[in-house]
Amino acid sequence: MTEGKKSGFVALVGRPNVGKSTLLNRMLGAKIAIVSRKPQTTRDRIAGILTDSRGQIVFLDGPGIHRPAKALNAYMVRTAQRIAEEADVAVHIVDDRHGEAGEEETLVRGILENVSVPRMLAVNKIDRSGESAARHRLERMMKGGLYKEGFLISAATGKGVDEFIGRLFSILPEGPAYYPEEDLTDLPMRFIAKEIVREKLFEALSEELPYSVAVTIEEYSEEPEKGLVRIRAEISVERESQKGIIIGRGGGMLKKIGTEARLELEKETGERVYLELFVKVEKDWSRNETMLRRLGYV
Ligand SMILES: Nc1nc2c(ncn2[C@@H]2O[C@H](COP(=O)(O)OP(=O)(O)OP(=O)(O)O)[C@@H](O)[C@H]2O)c(=O)[nH]1
Ligand SMILES: [Mg+2]
């Protein structure tokens, strides 16, 4: 029965680090997208599917919008823009750091002004900023007339999130579900495995190094009779010196990253995981279109 049920695509757009992926995971009650304290964590389109008695919303999380300096960043911003264009509703997520937001917020608004679908505003991280400061910001931003509605939320605590989802369901059109109701994402496990390894690298590495790292899954094979998944992942870096840092003294760093990734992969797959990590230098890959395609950023 699809009678009376709602369905549609909702894009989460905003500058890096405002909490788009945290919000996606919160709304789905599951970890689909990786999250980190560092900006520019998400690099691809991540669809998260929410199905309940009201219908189905496909949330599209993507990279944060920023001024792209390298080919990788240009790919990321293109991806974010495509997400805004393909959705039925575009949600602009902001957080409490408006002081430093200037140019990036202008880029986000430029994209939102060009979409023909309803735009919503969500001011996130109200647990940190306090509600009155957040409300002040919301009221100021609503004045421009760009947004249909505005919300105060905390992706971290969940405050305001149910009301936000409720409003989305009410403005979406009636329609059938796009995906089977038990699906949480359209991403293959192979992609999730790559992201989990990348998340552990983002957490473990400091400064600019995370931005020089790409992960490709060279092998993903399931051996159900043994309850085992074999994963072989290649970590690409841009310079020889970076390879040394990732491997670490006596291989210690790579081992730590591997253990953390394996434990999470075991949780996600419900199987034992045999994970092998290799580090390879692909000189200046993040500036090179051909190399980007080879690393899966197409
Ligand atoms: N205090 C607080 N922190 C939050 C909240 N939502 C997200 N964060 C934190 O903000 C940081 C960035 O969160 P992400 O979800 O990775 O942000 P993003 O917008 O997906 O970032 P990119 O993928 O880099 O564009 C992480 O350290 C989160 O834990 C929130 O509601 N409150
Ligand atoms: Mg993200």
Side-chain angles (χ1 to χ4, degrees), residues 14-23 34-42 61-65 124-128 153-157:
R15 54 193 288 265
N17 207 241
V18 292
K20 301 177 293 298
S21 301
T22 308
L23 177 62
I34 64 167
V35 164
S36 92
R37 278 171 290 123
K38 300 188 177 75
Q40 300 178 22
T41 303
T42 307
D61 176 27
I65 292 159
N124 187 30
K125 306 194 187 178
I126 58 166
D127 58 292
R128 190 167 78 179
I153 60 166
S154 166
T157 67

Side-chain angles (χ1 to χ4, degrees), residues 197 216-219 229-235 254 258 262 265 273-279:
V197 175
T216 40
I217 302 295
E218 300 295 318
E219 183 197 339
V229 183
R230 279 180 202 282
I231 304 172
R232 189 183 133 95
E234 199 162 80
I235 300 168
L254 194 61
R262 178 178 56 77
L265 283 162
V273 170
Y274 180 69
L275 175 66
E276 275 185 291
L277 297 178
F278 295 88
V279 189

Side-chain angles (χ1 to χ4, degrees), residues 136-273:
H136 189 69
R137 172 143 209 231
L138 181 115
E139 282 164 4
R140 205 158 33 82
M141 287 188 74
M142 288 300 290
K143 277 196 187 122
L146 186 61
Y147 310 104
K148 194 177 161 76
E149 289 175 45
F151 301 86
L152 298 177
I153 60 166
S154 166
T157 67
K159 189 143 199 238
V161 172
D162 286 344
E163 293 87 326
F164 170 64
I165 295 171
R167 282 303 298 154
L168 290 173
F169 269 120
S170 56
I171 72 161
L172 283 171
E174 284 186 17
Y178 291 91
Y179 294 93
E181 64 178 279
E182 63 279 7
D183 287 9
L184 280 177
T185 181
D186 62 353
L187 297 169
M189 198 52 217
R190 212 183 159 98
F191 178 89
I192 293 172
K194 153 181 129 150
E195 290 292 272
I196 289 173
V197 175
R198 211 162 59 74
E199 181 182 64
K200 303 312 168 199
L201 287 158
F202 253 73
E203 281 169 5
L205 305 174
S206 53
E207 304 190 20
E208 295 303 304
L209 195 42
Y211 306 109
S212 287
V213 166
V215 176
T216 40
I217 302 295
E218 300 295 318
E219 183 197 339
Y220 188 100
S221 55
E222 294 171 75
E223 297 177 23
E225 68 288 354
K226 291 190 192 152
L228 182 74
V229 183
R230 279 180 202 282
I231 304 172
R232 189 183 133 95
E234 199 162 80
I235 300 168
S236 299
V237 293
E238 307 199 83
R239 288 188 294 278
E240 205 59 50
S241 59
Q242 296 174 335
K243 181 172 168 178
I245 296 171
I246 291 184
I247 292 172
R249 190 181 300 237
M253 177 66 110
L254 194 61
K255 196 160 174 222
K256 173 174 167 281
I257 291 164
T259 304
E260 285 172 3
R262 178 178 56 77
L263 291 173
E264 188 160 334
L265 283 162
E266 290 186 335
K267 212 167 72 191
E268 289 295 323
T269 59
E271 310 273 7
R272 267 185 316 124
V273 170

Side-chain angles (χ1 to χ4, degrees), residues 43-64:
R43 290 179 181 167
D44 298 279
R45 173 191 187 276
I46 312 278
I49 305 160
L50 178 75
T51 312
D52 68 16
S53 57
R54 295 168 288 187
Q56 184 175 79
I57 302 179
V58 184
F59 290 102
L60 303 175
D61 176 27

